[in-house]
Amino acid sequence: MSQKTTPNKQLDLTQGSIAKTMLLFALPTLGSSILQSLNGSINAVWVGRFLGEEALAATANGNIVMFILISFVFGFGMASTILIGQAMGQRDNVMVKRTLGTALGSIIPISAILATIGWLFAPNLLDILGTPSSAFDLALTYLRMIFVAMPITLAFTLMMMALRGTGDSKTPLWFIALSVAIDLILTPLLIIGVGPFPEWGIFGSAFATAVANTLALIGMIITLYLRGSVLALNRSDLRFLRPDRGILASMFSKGLPMGLQMIVISSAALTMLSLINREGVQTTAAYSATQQLWTYVQMPAMALSAAASAMVAQNIGANQWHRVSDITRWGLIFNVLLTGLLIGALTLFDKSILSLFLGTDSTALPIASHIQIMATWGFLFFGIAQVFFGTMRANGYVIWPLMVMVISMYPVRLGFAFGFYSWLGADALWLSFPAGMVATAVMGAGLYLHGKWRKGQVLPPKEAAQITEGYRAQGSCSASCRDVASTTAWEPLEDQQVAARRS
């Protein structure tokens, strides 16, 4: 049977070759994630090469604090996207505007409060992390600038998610590209001071990102008004910025599980970083460089997990249960192939790649290479777990996967790090990552084979795929959630036709 596509190349996930459909879905998502994450990596190169290990360690400490704060509102934003998508499907423009207004009217004040608290207590947060003294002042400068930019960062993220909820995945991509381009140009200019640009060091790196996000957000809003987008709030729509209690309750009910997933991930990463900081600034810098590699290693797993969620949700909805096990099997096969190839390539060329961030003469380079060899292989099992979770979440089975993550992050990963440190030293920290991932894969396989997920309540494909994005950061601690990849390429034909009529 041939694969059906719509004129906009949106896929029918219930027919045709499962392997081909999964690749057609996952590869564009993977490519988008890689493109968007290059920004953070290139900025890390500038910081590491121009400012040294102390500055790179400072960004690692600043980013993880920012990430855990974003986690509190990220699930809320994802829930907003789902509600906007549902309102679009019902052709209810007023509900779209009311939902967006409620989201903006809630998240912006919350983020402003968090930014103020963060600015005041940034030194205390860094003390709690045990930030190395040589990196403390740099980390404080970087973190406070991140806090100042937090309302803009979250508003930009929310607007991109809202656009995806309307079925528009191209506009967010264009403005992400604009933000990345501005950031990549400004960062080196403001770090080292070129021509009329001041030499601001690590402050320049954070400031460049804030400026890039601000300009991209302004450009996006102007574009929405020029187009007459349903998301453009006119003067009469400004009343919707006062949060609607019913919509707010729905956002919290949908967003709380996703937010909890992010908090579990980020709080465990926060604890782990505090242990790594005790090893000294060079080890922290080495860990920061290795995390840049892990950002890319985990991408195939997340793309395949999103593909499995969307495909399983549509096939369960079409009562084609016979395809579900094959979808899971192909997801596992592709994960082993793609993630395995990445791990193999990094094992062969790790020093060359890591030297981009640290420099060839850095004393942190052999430490980073050692971390990579000790820990990166665990992402093979991370991918296996994510495919299982993607399948199960498609039928509304979200609580037990969350419990598995809590167990693997805390008793297993942190327990391994604390329990074996006296025997293995710093290697206990690095081996705790694959230990947690192997445990997650084993428990995930047990849930898939013996859990009651087949009796769950089927989720809409959009919701099933987007919930998957909440797990993206399990292996790393990126500070920005703006690289949540679009998962709209598979939407049903009816949604596409509605979007086409509205445009």
Side-chain angles (χ1 to χ4, degrees), residues 241-252:
L241 291 173
R242 182 177 181 179
D244 180 285
R245 290 185 180 181
I247 295 174
L248 201 59
S250 182
M251 286 179 181
F252 275 111

Side-chain angles (χ1 to χ4, degrees), residues 276-342:
I276 293 169
N277 280 333
R278 297 177 186 177
E279 302 298 315
V281 67
Q282 292 177 339
T283 300
T284 304
Y287 174 65
S288 179
T290 308
Q291 278 189 313
Q292 294 295 326
L293 306 189
W294 290 353
T295 298
Y296 298 95
V297 174
Q298 68 181 324
M299 284 182 180
M302 300 317 303
L304 290 166
S305 183
S309 285
M311 293 178 70
V312 169
Q314 280 200 12
N315 280 275
I316 292 176
N319 199 30
Q320 299 197 72
W321 279 91
H322 62 283
R323 289 169 58 90
V324 171
S325 59
D326 286 339
I327 292 169
T328 307
R329 178 168 58 85
W330 276 110
L332 295 173
I333 292 171
F334 286 138
N335 170 71
V336 171
L337 290 175
L338 294 175
T339 306
L341 284 173
L342 279 175

Side-chain angles (χ1 to χ4, degrees), residues 390-438:
T391 297
M392 292 184 285
R393 282 195 296 270
N395 208 33
Y397 197 71
V398 295
I399 300 300
W400 277 106
L402 175 60
M403 293 298 102
V404 164
M405 291 187 64
V406 172
I407 294 169
S408 64
M409 289 285 175
Y410 287 94
V412 178
R413 178 184 289 184
L414 295 180
F416 190 101
F418 280 105
F420 287 91
Y421 187 85
S422 59
W423 179 33
L424 298 174
D427 283 351
L429 305 180
W430 319 134
L431 289 173
S432 70
F433 286 95
M437 294 174 190
V438 170

